[in-house]
Each structure stands twice: as structure tokens, then as C-alpha cells.
Amino acid sequence: MHKVLIVGEHDGKTLNPATAKCVTCAGGIPDVEITIVILGADTAAVAGQAAAVAGVKSVLRVDRPENQHPLAAIFAPQLAALAADYTHIFGPSTSFGKDLMPRVAALLGVPQVSDLMAVEGAYLFKRPTYAGNAIVTVQADPARKLIATVRVASFESAKAGGNAAVESKSLSVALPSHTRYVGAKSGSTDRPDLQTAKRVVSGGRALGSAENFKLLFSLADKIGAAVGASRAAVDAGYAANEMQVGQTGKIISPDIYIAIGISGAIQHLTGIKDARTIVAINKDGEAPIFEVADVGLVGDLFQIVPELERLVSG
Amino acid sequence: MQKIIVCIKRVVDYNVRIRVKPDGSGVMLDGVKMSVNPFDEIALEEALRIKERGTNIEVVAVSIGVADTQQQLRTALAMGADRAILVQTDLPVEPLTAAQTFLAVANKENPDLIFLGKQAIDDDANQTGQMLAAIWQRPQATYASKVEISGGKASVTREVDAGLETIEVDLPAVVTVDLRLNEPRYVKLPDIMKAKKKPLEVTSLEALGVSTAVLLKTVKTEPPAQRQKGVMVKDVAELVGVLKKKGLI
Ligand SMILES: Cc1cc2nc3c(=O)[nH]c(=O)nc-3n(C[C@H](O)[C@H](O)[C@H](O)COP(=O)(O)OP(=O)(O)OC[C@H]3O[C@@H](n4cnc5c(N)ncnc54)[C@H](O)[C@@H]3O)c2cc1C
């Protein structure tokens, strides 16, 4: 029997959809029992959402005032204290999971496998390396606990309809005071979340200014899309950092990704490989983005985008 | 603030087109250009800027790898590191082993800060800094896009999925850096000449007492599934037609 503990990600109110994708990944392990753990200040609501994910056996709540903000230095020792009962501990490959899980692994003295994209066995996994240009199959040692992050773009969300038992845990773990949360700034909008959106409109350096990015926001609003950006666009200050798509930004898997004025560098393509349909709009017919695009249109984005917006609303 | 360690990894240059060996045993590395991991360059640049703002701060570049990793450490010295340490090994080094190695170095050197890149662009693991912080029992501030040091503390702005987050950590601490923290300087020829005279110590995993056990075995390497090249459309009307037909808009 394999017992997988999944670290639930949330913002205090809502369970992040990445968690249900980790459940699907864990469900690929043979003979498995899945538990989700929610750490927070008051996790009643989020734990309820986790209990409703199909395939989950139990949900653990660890409520402590120190857990108000997801600091790795605070969460990791608590997860290490829970580890004894489990063979695997999974977290999502989000900034939350990537920060936290290696700290848990090292406290336990065990290795981590990052970015699981396929489960081939209880200790056999595929993961991307070299910006997704080489996929490796990794064999971990069954005698050790396995820590992993899950590449969420590789898995569908587990369905709703579960009815897991919720249990409150009190852990007597001493927590460090050397790390303190100060504050956050998010560009939260009414638009769909980039990581879970079905449709994404994304812009590159060619947009030329933050002002011109409004062309994309306007198009996105017409079709209910999230807006992404290349690194060049973010570095130039045309778009916010949380909009970056790629090896070092977000890895996404929308039904449709519309790349506008993006050349298609490998680091960018890494982030969109799992998009169902890629549309490329670029004035250079030789741009590498056309090698991976399902539909391509050569031309000037400043003419094409307004016309596209007109025609989709018509 | 007296000493900053910067961890440097030798990786395939980011401009190289990666090819998987036909027998699935790895990627082709023969004759391929090797460089300092781009994130580590940013880490080093940040350390150098802190050094230049302060007084008497020593910056030590540390790497683990084959003998030729001296080239990347010489680059670090040319950028401005004061000295370098190479933990020489021909074995592939997993993140946990790297963290244990850097811990052994930290225990000797007692730095106030350890900077690393947030990930290496070869294995893309994104683990070493966090693991090092854990076993050093010190704070971690990952994905830094801004670092401010004052009074034995660091205030670090982090790039997270939702935007930006700021945390404060007590020193000593581990900071891993993201792309927008700074733009690394170019090395000038005279600096390269000067770097040749700077100290570069070579040691080994054994000398540091680090176990070299293989914890994760790579059994196969394969190229990713290729996307098929699609259709080109001639104008916006045709594009909209195709997308409507596919039910995408
Ligand atoms: C370690 C590392 C990590 C990286 N991580 C990422 C990452 O996560 N994400 C990422 O995106 N990049 C990343 N990069 C950067 C990447 O290598 C490219 O530099 C970047 O993706 C280029 O962005 P771009 O396509 O917007 O710009 P460019 O490459 O400059 O492309 C602009 C494109 O716009 C087209 N164009 C110009 N004007 C018009 C017009 N009027 N109409 C239509 N088309 C026009 C041009 O033909 C060109 O193809 C990383 C690089 C490194 C070294």
C-alpha cells in the first residue's frame, strides 16, 4: 500500500486548482491511498473543499496562527513531522510548492523529484529537463520516502464529488522566528487566472509598450481569456511579472494559446507545450513560433489584433 | 556583513540546441559550449553589488563539478569574486548532495549570506537552495527580485505566482535569485588577466565528508513529443473561421 500526502495550496479561502491536479497524479500510483493536508490559520473552509475532491481518502487540518502565510521555513518542519505515516509527499510545481517541498525533503534527508509529468510506477516517473528538451525517466529508491512536485500542466483536475473524512491535527513542533512575512502585491484582476484559463492571449516584445498591451487585454476580454507575456515583454516593463509564460514563468495548458509578437524561443515554448491549440501571429514568417503553431498568420499585429477583436465579436 | 558565498554551476550554454543521444543514455555534451548557469550569474552580480556598497566584504564563488569547472570559476573571479573553491568530482551531483556539499563549505567559511540561482537550466530541479537552507537550519528567500540588507536582516521581494511577495529574514540566510533581480556585468579583458592570479582552491567531496550515494537513477532520456507544424492562414477572416470550426472561440 502506498500512502501519498498531498500538500494543499490555498489562499486562506479557496483551494488552488493545482491541488486537484496533484490528486490525479497521485492516483496514477498503484495501490494508493491519498491524504491532503491543509496548513493555515483557519482552514475549515479550505479543508471542506479538499474533502470534496474525488479520490481523496482523508484531509488533515493543521491550524496555527503561524500558518497564516505559507512560509516554507514554517510549513516544512510541520510537514516533516507528519511524514512518518506516508510513503510519498507531493506538492504542486507552483511557486508555493517549489519553494516548500525541497525544504521538506532535506529535513527528512531524502531526495526530491521535481515536476512529475507522468507516473510509470510507484517509484518511476518522467520529468522534463533542459527546458523540456530532454525528458528523463527517474527511478527512486522504494526504501526511502519520496518527495515530489507535480507539473500541474501535465494532469487534468480530479473531479469533484468526493467525501473524505476531515481530521484536525495538532503538532507540537517548534517553529523558527527567523523568517517573517511582510506583504504581497498582486496584480489581481477580474480576468481568468493564467494558470487555469481555457483561453490565453499572450504578447511579446513586439507590443512595444504597456499602453499597447491594452490591445491584448481588450481582445482577451472579448473571448474570456487570460493574458500572458514573454519574458522580453515582462523585462521591458510592458507586462507584470506574474504574466510571464515559460521555463522560468508559468507552465500552462489552455485549450487555445494565441501568441502575438512572440518569436518562440525554447524557454518560452517550454511553457506552452501542453496547450491544445497554439495560434501564432507574427510579422516574420520565419519565426520559430510557426514551427509549433497549429494555426499561423503572418502580418503586423497592430493591424491584425483590432480586426481579430472585431471579427470574434461579430 | 563580512562574507558572501555564491554557488555556481557549470551548465550547457542556454543558446545550445539540446539533442538527446539516440541510445537514450543522456544528452549530447561532446564539444558543446559550457557556461555559468544564467541564474548563478545574477546571484554573483547581486553579491558583488552588496560588496561594492559595503566595506571589507569577501565574495567566495563555490562550485561542484569536473576539473574544467575551473573555467566557470575563473569567469566568476573575473566578474569580481575574491576567491573560488572547486569541489571536484566526475560524478553527476544531485541537488541533495550539492546542498550537503555547500553546507560543508558553509560550516568552514561561516558566511552571512549564500546566494544561488533559483534553478539550474540543465536539470531544472529548483531544489538546491531550499535544501541547503533546511540543513543549515537557516531562513530561505527564494525567487528574489529585490534584496535589501540592513542590520543583520535581509528584506527580500520574491516573484511568486500571484505577483510579488516580501519577506524579512535574519542573517545568515540563503537567497535564490530570479531573472529580474539585476543584469550581470560583462567581464573585461583586464579582469580576466587579474582573475588568473586570484586564489582557486580545489577540494573533493571526500575531503568534505559528503556521501556520494546515488539516490535517484536516471534510467532513460528521450526527446519530448514533437508538435506538428500546423496550417498557415492568409488573413484574419480565415483565422477566425478556423478557430470557430474548432470550437475554440
Ligand atoms: C535562463 C533563461 C530563462 C528564460 N525564461 C524565459 C521564460 O520563462 N519565458 C520567456 O518567454 N522567455 C524566457 N527567456 C527568454 C527567451 O530566450 C527569449 O529572449 C524571449 O522569450 C523573447 O521574447 P519575445 O518573443 O517577446 O521577443 P523577441 O524574441 O524579440 O521576439 C519578438 C517577435 O515579435 C515579432 N514582431 C515584431 N514586430 C511585430 C509586429 N508589428 N507584428 C507582429 N510581430 C512582430 C518579431 O518578428 C519577433 O518574432 C529566458 C532566457 C533565459 C536565458
Side-chain angles (χ1 to χ4, degrees):
Chain A
M1 160 84 82
H2 302 107
K3 297 182 81 176
V4 182
L5 182 66
I6 293 172
V7 184
E9 177 171 355
H10 63 95
D11 60 4
K13 295 188 206 83
T14 314
L15 187 68
N16 188 300
T19 308
K21 298 192 170 198
C22 292
V23 171
T24 302
C25 174
I29 290 175
D31 192 18
V32 70
E33 191 179 289
I34 300 171
T35 300
I36 296 179
V37 60
I38 308 288
L39 291 89
D42 174 8
T43 62
V46 175
Q49 295 162 30
V53 177
V56 178
K57 176 90 191 299
S58 56
V59 173
L60 303 180
R61 290 178 56 183
V62 184
D63 287 23
R64 264 177 102 141
E66 297 94 326
N67 289 345
Q68 175 83 35
H69 301 290
L71 295 168
I74 303 289
F75 278 21
Q78 299 176 69
L79 292 166
L82 287 171
D85 295 338
Y86 303 91
T87 54
H88 300 61
I89 308 180
F90 285 3
S93 268
T94 55
S95 58
F96 163 77
K98 290 193 246 192
D99 179 46
L100 172 61
M101 301 310 289
R103 192 162 179 120
V104 178
L107 289 179
L108 297 168
V110 299
Q112 170 177 307
V113 181
S114 296
D115 305 322
L116 303 189
M117 57 187 288
V119 176
E120 311 262 289
Y123 294 90
L124 194 65
F125 306 97
K126 284 193 179 177
R127 66 171 300 261
T129 61
Y130 290 97
N133 288 292
I135 309 299
V136 295
T137 305
V138 179
Q139 169 84 64
D141 177 2
R144 291 171 189 264
K145 214 172 288 300
L146 185 83
I147 312 298
T149 57
V150 174
R151 184 179 183 276
V152 287
S154 298
F155 299 91
E156 301 280 336
S157 290
K159 300 255 171 331
N163 189 15
V166 179
E167 181 193 344
S168 284
K169 276 264 179 193
S170 66
L171 300 171
S172 57
V173 181
L175 299 178
S177 58
H178 55 45
T179 305
R180 296 167 293 273
Y181 177 86
V182 177
K185 204 180 101 206
S186 76
S188 66
T189 63
D190 300 337
R191 292 193 182 85
D193 171 52
L194 180 56
Q195 260 156 324
T196 47
K198 296 267 175 244
R199 297 169 179 170
V200 174
V201 172
S202 196
R205 194 197 312 269
L207 268 295
S209 69
E211 184 63 27
N212 288 342
F213 244 82
K214 289 187 185 154
L215 283 174
L216 303 194
F217 287 118
S218 175
L219 171 64
D221 291 347
K222 281 273 151 53
I223 60 171
V227 180
S230 72
R231 176 187 169 193
V234 175
D235 283 0
Y238 308 160
N241 72 287
E242 64 269 21
M243 291 164 63
Q244 182 176 319
V245 172
Q247 180 187 19
T248 51
K250 289 183 174 129
I251 310 276
I252 57 175
S253 52
D255 290 344
I256 177 167
Y257 184 79
I258 308 181
I260 300 173
I262 292 177
S263 61
I266 52 167
Q267 294 90 358
H268 188 81
L269 299 183
T270 305
I272 58 172
K273 277 198 176 123
D274 296 296
R276 202 132 337 127
T277 297
I278 296 175
V279 177
I281 297 169
N282 196 302
K283 72 172 182 194
D284 174 10
E286 304 291 310
I289 188 80
F290 288 121
E291 295 301 313
V292 299
D294 301 282
V295 190
L297 174 57
V298 178
D300 182 357
L301 75 91
F302 294 104
Q303 280 163 12
I304 291 172
V305 174
E307 192 183 343
L308 183 57
E309 188 184 328
R310 232 178 12 252
L311 290 188
V312 292
S313 24
Chain B
M1 173 76 57
Q2 288 176 335
K3 195 186 285 184
I4 305 175
I5 285 183
V6 183
C7 304
I8 302 275
K9 188 174 185 185
R10 171 185 163 94
V11 297
V12 174
D13 187 85
Y14 82 97
N15 280 311
V16 170
R17 208 189 174 96
I18 297 298
R19 277 173 228 283
V20 172
K21 289 187 195 163
D23 67 358
S25 64
V27 302
M28 297 199 212
L29 295 174
D30 289 347
V32 158
K33 183 178 178 206
M34 303 298 285
S35 297
V36 175
N37 177 42
F39 292 99
D40 303 346
E41 257 185 352
I42 297 168
L44 176 58
E45 176 64 35
E46 196 65 16
L48 294 174
R49 290 185 189 185
I50 294 170
K51 173 186 164 77
E52 285 156 5
R53 281 197 297 268
T55 41
N56 274 327
I57 299 173
E58 188 185 33
V59 173
V60 186
V62 182
S63 191
I64 312 167
V66 297
D68 280 345
T69 306
Q70 289 201 22
Q71 295 161 3
Q72 281 67 43
L73 286 172
R74 287 289 168 204
T75 303
L77 293 169
M79 277 178 72
D82 296 292
R83 62 190 169 89
I85 301 171
L86 172 60
V87 183
Q88 193 175 317
T89 176
D90 288 334
L91 300 170
V93 178
E94 295 177 22
L96 185 59
T97 309
Q100 287 162 343
T101 308
F102 294 134
L103 174 67
V105 173
N107 283 339
K108 281 189 175 176
E109 298 278 346
N110 292 311
D112 303 286
L113 258 177
I114 304 182
F115 274 113
L116 306 86
K118 74 163 176 178
Q119 72 194 73
I121 60 164
D122 50 4
D123 65 13
D124 281 333
N126 196 328
Q127 299 177 12
T128 306
Q130 297 90 311
M131 288 183 157
L132 171 60
I135 56 180
W136 198 25
Q137 297 175 32
R138 294 306 310 164
Q140 70 189 46
T142 53
Y143 322 140
S145 67
K146 190 168 163 202
V147 179
E148 287 171 318
I149 311 285
S150 77
K153 296 191 199 82
S155 164
V156 179
T157 301
R158 311 176 52 231
E159 292 203 12
V160 294
D161 290 342
L164 296 171
E165 176 189 282
T166 304
I167 62 172
E168 185 184 75
V169 296
D170 295 337
L171 302 183
V174 173
V175 175
T176 81
V177 310
D178 217 318
L179 288 170
R180 275 172 284 277
L181 180 58
N182 61 48
E183 226 173 289
R185 67 197 63 190
Y186 285 100
V187 265
K188 297 183 220 70
L189 197 58
D191 299 327
I192 297 173
M193 302 313 291
K194 256 197 293 189
K196 290 194 174 139
K197 296 200 197 74
K198 289 185 178 176
L200 193 165
E201 174 194 343
V202 179
T203 180
S204 66
L205 293 167
E206 296 72 34
L208 293 171
V210 177
S211 148
T212 54
V214 176
L215 304 172
L216 298 171
K217 215 165 78 193
T218 298
V219 292
K220 191 167 77 184
T221 304
E222 58 198 318
Q226 292 299 327
R227 288 189 78 100
Q228 297 298 318
K229 194 177 153 80
V231 298
M232 298 299 284
V233 293
K234 58 179 193 316
D235 57 24
V236 179
E238 191 185 347
L239 173 62
V240 171
V242 170
L243 297 182
K244 286 211 166 129
K245 213 165 111 204
K246 290 187 175 214
L248 289 165
I249 54 171

